[in-house]
Amino acid sequence: MSLLEIRASTPAEFFAWQESQDERYELVNGFPLLQPRAPMGHNLLVVNILGGIGQRLRRSPCRAFTANIGVETLPGQIRRPDAGIDCGIFDPDGYLAAKPIVVFEVLSPSTRDFDRLRKVDEYKQVSTMRHIVVVEPKRPQVLVWSRNMASESAGKWTAEEMIGLERVIRLDAVALELPLAEIYDRLSFDD
């Protein structure tokens, strides 16, 4: 294939192509972007988040999802948050969250600024999104972006920074509370 033949992919083409790949990719401006590998501490945070939200969503129509499932942040743009909550119709063969309500991004050294800024801005464009949780892996600190659709400032995003293991994340859109002590379980920090 020559460079002149390269063209942007649609989400359907991307997911069909992704099935035969060993690595995980996002779709950015119509082109696959390889996702970096993460260390054990990052992985433990993601496992703790998924365990906590999965347990709390047991009797809910919503369910947790992993980075294997994409979120269409802009038309034709697929991001893969570390974890999330989907409240849409379940498609056992699908690769895209139907109605993403919450996403979690655990910061990585190689993508820290991008995840905190650009990805958060993209997630805010998703009409169903209500909470964006950015998790710092080196200390018990999270930033929770929330959009309240029931108040007089409906649709406006507000941020709350939480520091310390005694703090609790409140995700009102899915009636869920997640203690930072649970997210950071089995991790230790240098003071």
Side-chain angles (χ1 to χ4, degrees), residues 12-187:
E13 292 168 333
F14 168 73
F15 286 123
W17 171 83
Q18 175 71 75
E19 284 184 15
S20 64
Q21 305 305 307
D22 292 332
E23 304 290 338
R24 183 178 303 138
Y25 292 81
E26 290 183 333
L27 184 65
V28 180
N29 297 323
F31 295 94
L33 178 66
L34 180 64
Q35 294 300 284
R37 296 198 183 271
M40 286 294 262
H42 183 283
N43 184 67
L44 182 59
L45 285 165
V46 173
V47 168
N48 289 346
I49 290 166
L50 287 167
I53 63 178
Q55 179 71 23
R56 288 168 174 83
L57 293 172
R58 276 238 157 88
R59 290 175 183 80
S60 165
C62 302
R63 70 213 149 271
F65 66 87
T66 69
N68 287 321
I69 301 303
V71 172
E72 189 167 17
T73 57
L74 302 168
Q77 185 130 309
I78 309 299
R79 296 295 184 183
R80 294 186 187 272
D82 291 303
I85 299 174
D86 184 5
C87 296
I89 296 170
F90 178 67
D91 176 2
D93 298 319
Y95 293 102
L96 198 58
K99 186 179 176 184
I101 302 293
V102 182
V103 292
F104 292 82
E105 285 287 351
V106 178
L107 298 176
S108 297
S110 62
T111 60
R112 168 180 293 285
D113 291 336
F114 183 80
D115 290 347
R116 279 185 325 109
L117 303 171
R118 183 158 174 203
K119 265 192 175 179
V120 166
D121 284 344
E122 285 185 30
Y123 289 135
K124 287 179 180 180
Q125 303 306 310
V126 178
S127 65
T128 60
M129 195 67 65
R130 295 297 177 264
H131 303 283
I132 303 161
V133 183
V134 179
V135 180
E136 169 59 54
K138 300 294 184 189
R139 61 188 167 277
Q141 179 179 4
V142 299
L143 181 61
V144 181
W145 288 95
S146 297
R147 175 167 48 185
N148 184 346
M149 299 307 288
S151 71
E152 44 189 66
S153 60
K156 183 178 178 190
W157 287 94
T158 58
E160 180 181 6
E161 185 175 40
M162 298 181 191
I163 300 172
L165 294 173
E166 70 285 350
R167 300 296 305 268
V168 176
I169 298 171
R170 287 175 177 76
L171 304 174
D172 295 335
V174 287
L176 187 147
E177 293 186 352
L178 189 61
L180 265 63
E182 220 174 286
I183 291 175
Y184 290 95
D185 183 44
R186 292 175 280 161
L187 289 171

